[in-house]
Amino acid sequence: MKRATITAALALVLAAGAAPGFAQDAALKAAVKADYDANLGALFDHFHRNPELSGMEVQTAARMAQELRALGYEVTTGVGGTGVVAVLRNGAGPTVMIRADMDGLPLLEASGLANASTARQIDSDGTEKPVMHACGHDVHITALVGTARQMAARKANWSGTLVLIAQPAEERIFGARAMIDDGLYSRFPKPDYAVAFHVSADTPTGKIEAPLGIVYSSSDSVDITVHGVGTHGASPHKGVDPVLVASQIVVSLQSLRSREIDPLQGAVVTVGAIHGGIKHNIISDRVDMQLTVRSDDLEVRTRLLDGIDRIARHTALALGVPEDKLPTVTRSTVESTPPTINDAATAARVRAALTAGLGEGVLIDKARSGMGAEDFAHFVTPEHGVKGVYFSVGGTPADQVDAAPGHHSPLFRITPEPAVTLGVEGSVLAAEALMPRT
């Protein structure tokens, strides 16, 4: 993001934070706490014990639909597979969409929690796997129900249309696009703004991060099949060794990051899997490679992906692979997402509302620790014209953050009450700031 844009957004934060009409919202905090004690705590426990895999969230979706219908929302199920859409209309004004992802991960929970998941599910590949919420999506969907309840109760504070979605398959980054392809923006009110949050194990409870720019990187899954000419391991000159070719490709791919991309730009090319050969003394005729590619910029993303094609092809040629056996490079059309970048001006409005409603010091700004990805980006790509804000809420007490297990770990655990309640409060304040009653 350009420095001038950030500077202008910061100015808007300061101006909005000083504007009259905002007061720390003790009533909201009390109402959310009461709701957690009466409803949300048990709902979180249910979701944590009963996770489901990506694209297979049938029971989770059914429970979400039940909860949202009971609050008076117009609810549609089966959007983009198992997705749920709930609409609440409250007069003229902007349309705000709030999204929560609902899938778990194929991990055996080892958190030691009393409500640790013991669920198992047959995945889309036909294999039975353990399932756990190892990324906090149980927090997200629980908070969405809490947000729905507060927004319905606080209609006097806002005017417009609220769209809530429970999204499948974020972990495999195809659920958002599946919902859009199934008419999310044509069958339902198209949002002017889209909001989401993520619980963060390495952020202290009671704190929120709401960046003015980049939040998550792009992600692309790439498969490379390296072909060779098989022969006896004792006579390598009679064939073309695909293991050697693949090894050289792995090494050469790192030159993309080190020599072709501006060193101040974020970029990662990781070979996560490589499989080839069957026996000590046989040179095989094939090696399969799986890559993940990350960037923070669409131009960098294109350069990385094009560079992978070029390096795979020309490395193979240099090592004697015949023209008719050059590597095949396949980019996934399913597991792919652009960077998630907050709209600076909209994020500034949300930051001001969070500070005003939750108090000075609730917001923290810290450096990113990696290049994780999020398919929320599909909802706010430029062609849709939807302005997005993605924030995170703390999930671990401050004195435990340094030792907290990471996301996607079998040991993953967060403290649910402060995470859920802050997620609700932040979502409500963001939505009301974006569709104020005039």
Side-chain angles (χ1 to χ4, degrees):
M1 175 182 292
K2 294 181 179 178
R3 181 172 296 179
T5 304
I6 295 178
T7 301
L10 286 171
L12 182 56
V13 170
L14 296 173
F22 285 104
Q24 191 165 330
D25 204 325
L28 174 61
K29 186 174 289 290
V32 175
K33 174 65 167 68
D35 190 24
Y36 188 90
D37 292 342
N39 305 295
L40 299 180
L43 186 62
F44 171 83
D45 184 75
H46 167 78
F47 285 139
H48 189 81
R49 292 176 186 270
N50 297 282
E52 294 178 288
L53 293 170
S54 301
M56 307 177 69
E57 311 91 341
V58 175
Q59 297 304 318
T60 304
R63 181 62 182 268
M64 288 297 293
Q66 173 188 328
E67 295 285 339
L68 295 169
R69 281 197 183 99
L71 295 171
Y73 286 71
E74 306 166 21
V75 177
T76 304
T77 58
V79 181
T82 57
V84 179
V85 179
V87 179
L88 184 64
R89 305 173 197 274
N90 189 30
T95 296
V96 171
M97 183 180 80
I98 303 178
R99 170 272 210 165
D101 40 10
M102 59 179 173
D103 51 331
L105 285 158
L107 291 169
L108 179 63
E109 184 165 358
S111 65
L113 296 171
N115 64 346
S117 169
T118 58
R120 300 186 69 84
Q121 190 174 21
I122 297 176
D123 205 348
S124 55
D125 62 4
T127 304
E128 184 180 88
K129 298 174 182 175
V131 194
M132 73 171 285
H133 274 299
C135 203
H137 295 188
D138 44 359
V139 171
H140 306 167
I141 49 179
T142 303
L144 190 71
V145 174
T147 299
R149 183 172 284 110
Q150 296 307 317
M151 292 298 291
R154 293 164 62 97
K155 280 186 170 183
N157 292 5
W158 59 277
S159 181
T161 300
L162 179 65
V163 180
L164 305 179
I165 64 171
Q167 181 211 301
E170 185 279 330
E171 296 294 1
R172 295 184 60 187
I173 56 175
F174 68 78
R177 186 160 49 185
M179 292 191 77
I180 291 172
D181 290 346
D182 197 19
L184 178 64
Y185 285 173
S186 58
R187 296 165 54 193
F188 306 97
K190 183 180 176 182
D192 300 289
Y193 305 99
V195 175
F197 83 89
H198 205 298
V199 65
S200 173
D202 61 0
T203 298
T205 51
K207 300 296 184 181
I208 293 178
E209 297 173 75
L212 293 172
I214 184 77
V215 184
Y216 290 107
S217 302
S218 68
S219 177
D220 291 280
S221 295
V222 178
D223 293 284
I224 302 177
T225 301
V226 179
H227 304 282
V229 178
T231 187
H232 197 293
S235 304
H237 60 292
K238 294 183 178 180
V240 178
D241 186 354
V243 173
L244 174 63
V245 176
S247 299
Q248 188 62 55
I249 289 173
V250 171
V251 173
S252 296
L253 286 174
Q254 299 313 309
S255 69
L256 285 171
R257 177 68 188 94
S258 65
R259 289 297 178 267
E260 297 191 35
I261 303 299
D262 183 334
L264 300 181
Q265 291 273 15
V268 167
V269 177
T270 293
V271 180
I274 182 166
H275 304 280
I278 57 173
K279 198 175 187 300
H280 304 73
N281 61 351
I282 296 176
I283 291 177
S284 69
D285 61 0
R286 174 173 175 153
V287 172
D288 294 299
M289 304 163 60
Q290 296 179 329
L291 289 68
T292 188
V293 183
R294 308 295 174 104
S295 71
D296 291 343
D297 178 89
L298 293 177
E299 181 180 346
V300 171
R301 183 189 189 194
T302 298
R303 291 186 66 183
L304 291 173
L305 293 171
D306 290 347
I308 291 168
D309 290 343
R310 185 188 73 244
I311 287 172
R313 174 182 175 85
H314 290 284
T315 300
L317 283 170
L319 293 176
V321 175
E323 287 271 3
D324 62 347
K325 290 184 177 292
L326 293 179
T328 55
V329 181
T330 306
R331 306 175 192 176
S332 175
T333 58
V334 176
E335 296 187 8
S336 173
T337 185
T340 298
I341 303 174
N342 281 349
D343 179 73
T346 308
R349 292 174 63 187
V350 169
R351 286 171 65 100
L354 293 173
T355 298
L358 299 173
E360 295 290 341
V362 69
L363 290 175
I364 60 172
D365 296 297
K366 64 181 185 180
R368 294 164 64 206
S369 59
M371 297 190 72
E374 238 292 348
D375 72 348
F376 178 78
H378 284 295
F379 296 124
V380 295
T381 52
E383 61 266 29
H384 294 313
V386 179
K387 298 176 180 179
V389 178
Y390 196 107
F391 63 95
S392 67
V393 304
T396 304
D399 61 352
Q400 300 174 27
V401 166
D402 290 344
H407 292 241
H408 291 214
S409 164
L411 303 173
F412 177 81
R413 58 190 295 170
I414 50 86
T415 306
E417 181 173 350
V420 170
T421 55
L422 189 58
V424 174
E425 292 163 13
S427 298
V428 170
L429 291 169
E432 291 183 350
L434 296 176
M435 46 181 175
R437 182 173 290 278
T438 56

